[in-house]
Amino acid sequence: MMAITGDRDGLSELRALVQEFDFLESYREEADEHFIDLDLVNRIRDVIRAKPGVLQNQMKTELGITDGRRASRLVSYLEKSGEVRRAKSGKTHELYLADFAMPEAVAETIYTEPNNPGSHRREARATRPREPDLKHVNVVPLPPSPNAWERPVELLTTQEIFADPHGAWHEIVVESIPKEDRPDPAFRRHYSTRGGALSFDDLAKSDASVGAPGAVIFSNGKGQSGTPVSLRRDPYHVSVHPEGEGFALRSKSNVLTVYDRDLQVEFETDLARAPEVAANRDRLGLPESETHRALRCIALTPDRDRYLFTHIDEAWCIDRNGKCLWGLRMPAKEPTRIRIGGASFGTAAEINDALEVMGLVMPVTPDEIRQRYRKLVRELHPDLNPGNEERMKAVNVASERLTGLDPEQLDGSEAGDDGFEIVISFGAAAQADWIYAAAFSGTGETALLGTYAGRIVRVDRDGTPTTIYDVGSVPVRIIETEAFLYVMTTTRLYVLDGDRMVALEDCSAKCDLLVGGGMVLLVESKGVRVFAEDGRPLGIALTKTPIRRAYVDETDLVIETRTHRGRFRGVGAGGVR
């Protein structure tokens, strides 16, 4: 930013700072690079001023440098700052300074956001949110999820076009994709729906996005794609219900747009004008400029008759006619407890080992774990049965890994253990437990809200919290079908049936979750892990080149790369070992 604004003095101070302290040595090269960026930014301005309409992919030649990505990155920053306008031209862009009167035909290729639709809300005054009493809500403690793995979860690699490393499928049918049928990489975000999948071009790189902020395309269960449709507003946040049709988007300007099954706009409303937003902002003492950051999640019911949106720690359910149905404020975050000497986070394999130590198997509920722990304490406690010290320690570790609770919390005693806690308290504003994920249930009758503290709160149709699933870290995706609930963090996928933990899988931060066609897919760049709906591992499919699209066609797993389509048929031949 200092390079773009021409703050040479600021950059000089930054460079002097990293030169002064040895522990900042790793930043010295980067500090020098910013001076090069400052020079490049000024030269980019000069080139565009001298040659209006210069192509972005020619900028490195105009600048006499070899790093085209660097030039494009700086052009992007200048566009975001409002200095440069980019007009799509084939696979690249024409560049103009903001005050240049560009040709009309060129101007039409640049997206201009439509007028604000206003709010469709009936209430002029904010409805008071419900504040749940956690003592009266069923809490389901689950094996806590770490924020990141010490050893990243990585798939095997292959040099084959498609590979089945565990022999899980009967056969793989490989075919070349004709050039005209190849999946457009611009449509990079995929969501399962009742009849197929929706794919979004969220960066406006496709031909359908010329003059628009993005595009969407629907593919049926056979993978056959329809005609791409331009979006009305930018897809800053996407909500697609796996059991429904249509979808909802929230733009950067906080407008909610709902699209029907034909990908046409049904209605729009400005969420920033909802009275609850102003009331919550005033409660927390936040400026109006923070509204965009504070409005985070949207969700849509399968039949699109209701939607919800979240503002910091509050969630609001609104019907299509603009009537507020309920509001809920998340309980404040508890003080952070850093436990010294307690059991560490367990991997999926260690969780299974912990179940074996306890004499349990999935599916299992926290109550069953608690009851089993108390029974084992009576059998193994050294005071009652000397000689079982090591076995008792193993049970304590296993129970803590399975629930995230200390042993004394499981047996109700006040006895100490081998660990102790450091408690960190927050200030009043920082105690708000932000909502980071939201979804409606498979039937649309209930809602699920995932918070920064790792709590997923189930809310009934009247806005009453009924269950809290505690996973210990921020959920990034929540999907519920009519059969199972799937909760995904950056490190773990939980499969739940009511209070029962049916399955648990480790995952990487870069994988995507698709649920549909009777299967669950964890899609990574060059591989897909496939599970049954109940989380049972079925197989792993690998590719040599990056995956463009993955879906289920009846019982076949279909994976498409840029040039080939692989159809994995007959899962169950070998299975995952």
Side-chain angles (χ1 to χ4, degrees), residues 186-240:
F187 293 86
R188 64 184 193 128
R189 296 174 65 180
H190 308 284
Y191 299 84
S192 300
T193 70
R194 181 181 298 162
L198 287 167
S199 300
F200 292 86
D201 166 22
D202 60 323
L203 299 179
K205 291 188 174 182
S206 65
D207 291 340
S209 296
V210 175
V216 61
I217 189 170
F218 176 76
S219 304
N220 63 22
K222 298 289 184 181
Q224 298 167 331
S225 300
T227 302
V229 176
S230 300
L231 296 174
R232 182 174 176 82
R233 300 180 191 273
D234 64 274
Y236 182 74
H237 191 106
V238 179
S239 175
V240 177

Side-chain angles (χ1 to χ4, degrees), residues 481-499:
T481 65
E482 293 191 12
F484 296 100
L485 169 63
Y486 305 91
V487 176
M488 186 177 183
T489 69
T490 55
T491 57
R492 179 161 285 164
L493 172 66
Y494 300 83
V495 184
L496 304 167
D497 179 8
D499 290 357

Side-chain angles (χ1 to χ4, degrees), residues 409-483:
Q409 291 176 287
L410 282 168
D411 66 14
S413 72
E414 296 298 326
D417 60 9
D418 294 334
F420 65 93
E421 290 182 338
I422 298 174
V423 180
I424 303 175
S425 298
F426 299 97
Q431 284 184 333
D433 194 4
W434 285 58
I435 301 172
Y436 273 78
F440 279 99
S441 65
T443 61
E445 288 301 301
T446 64
L448 294 135
L449 306 169
T451 75
Y452 182 83
R455 299 181 286 201
I456 295 89
V457 184
R458 184 181 294 279
V459 186
D460 68 16
R461 193 177 179 112
D462 297 323
T464 302
T466 59
T467 305
I468 295 177
Y469 305 93
D470 190 351
V471 299
S473 66
V474 184
V476 296
R477 192 86 183 273
I478 301 172
I479 296 177
E480 186 168 54
T481 65
E482 293 191 12

Side-chain angles (χ1 to χ4, degrees), residues 340-356:
I340 308 299
S344 61
F345 294 104
T347 63
E350 289 171 329
I351 296 302
N352 286 326
D353 291 343
L355 286 169
E356 186 175 345

Side-chain angles (χ1 to χ4, degrees), residues 59-61 115-116 172 203 227 234 274 319 323-324 335 371 389 441 456 480 515 525 535 543 546 548 551 563:
M59 186 57 71
K60 69 175 183 178
T61 302
N115 293 332
N116 191 298
I172 306 175
L203 299 179
T227 302
D234 64 274
D319 71 12
K323 180 181 178 181
C324 181
Q371 291 170 12
E389 288 83 2
S441 65
I456 295 89
E480 186 168 54
V515 179
S525 173
T543 64
R548 292 284 176 85
Y551 56 93
T563 57

Side-chain angles (χ1 to χ4, degrees), residues 2 7-18 35:
M2 286 189 284
D7 187 359
R8 186 175 295 274
D9 290 340
L11 287 176
S12 296
E13 291 181 21
L14 178 65
R15 183 162 62 180
L17 183 68
V18 299
F35 278 93

Side-chain angles (χ1 to χ4, degrees), residues 392-409:
M392 190 67 246
K393 287 181 180 179
V395 168
N396 282 338
V397 171
S399 63
E400 190 170 349
R401 281 185 173 162
L402 290 172
T403 64
L405 301 177
D406 299 342
E408 62 267 26
Q409 291 176 287

Side-chain angles (χ1 to χ4, degrees), residues 163-172 538-540 570-577:
D164 174 11
H166 299 295
W169 282 272
H170 287 291
E171 65 173 340
I172 306 175
L538 298 179
I540 295 174
V571 70
V576 174
R577 298 181 180 89

